[in-house]
Amino acid sequence: NDDHCINQEGGLSEEGAARMEGTILVMAFDLLLGKGLKGGGTLRKMLVSKLPSLQANFKEFSATAKQDAAQGVFETLPRYIRVNRMILPEQSEVDTVVTKLTETLREKASKVKNEENQEAHCEVKHDPDVPNLLTLDH
């Protein structure tokens, strides 16, 4: 239960924001650039209520930043995959997905011809802060 992370106004406390920073960033990314948020919950309600402000800030940043600078910022964000534990309830199933995905990424990267070692950037890991989230180095 994350009730202790919510302040009296219904927003996140400083402790809650610090503790849930990874989740908030992933959800904000989904809200702004993904296919939106599904489901309910306090975080979703708070982010949706701030959507006009988030969009305005994002639009302002995008308009004032050089295209290559903005591209560089987003290239540094980790790619991620959410694991639906209803479909993959066993940890061994998740581990199999991680192994196969890593192998596939490395196979595809080995076919890319450039000076950089692409295979070094093909690791799939469990996110240490957000449960059921895999991160892809790139």
Side-chain angles (χ1 to χ4, degrees):
N1 189 352
D2 291 321
D3 290 341
H4 67 281
C5 296
I6 308 301
N7 64 25
Q8 292 177 352
E9 293 81 35
L12 274 180
S13 66
E14 283 186 41
E15 173 193 350
R19 210 182 92 185
M20 303 169 106
E21 181 181 9
T23 303
I24 293 167
L25 289 172
V26 169
M27 290 176 74
F29 183 86
D30 275 350
L31 188 60
L32 287 169
L33 300 171
K35 295 183 181 181
L37 300 175
K38 301 211 187 299
T42 304
L43 285 178
R44 180 191 185 280
K45 290 174 190 170
M46 286 176 17
L47 284 170
V48 169
S49 74
K50 306 270 186 210
L51 182 59
S53 174
L54 289 170
Q55 289 172 324
N57 288 335
F58 183 76
K59 186 175 182 179
E60 182 181 325
F61 171 78
S62 297
T64 59
K66 291 182 180 178
Q67 182 64 27
D68 58 346
Q71 185 67 24
V73 168
F74 290 107
E75 285 177 356
T76 64
L77 292 174
R79 295 181 204 169
Y80 60 91
I81 300 172
R82 290 188 184 165
V83 177
N84 184 338
R85 295 310 290 256
M86 299 291 285
I87 295 173
L88 300 172
E90 299 297 323
Q91 185 60 41
S92 62
E93 295 172 311
V94 176
D95 293 341
T96 299
V97 168
V98 168
T99 301
K100 287 187 178 189
L101 183 55
T102 299
E103 290 170 357
T104 301
L105 289 172
R106 286 186 176 156
E107 178 184 317
K108 298 286 185 190
S110 69
K111 294 178 182 178
V112 175
K113 294 190 179 1
N114 64 18
E115 294 179 21
E116 216 180 296
N117 181 3
Q118 292 290 329
E119 290 186 45
H121 300 289
C122 298
E123 188 174 354
V124 180
K125 300 183 268 189
H126 293 274
D127 187 277
D129 299 315
V130 182
N132 302 324
L133 191 73
L134 304 176
T135 61
L136 307 174
D137 287 343
H138 58 95

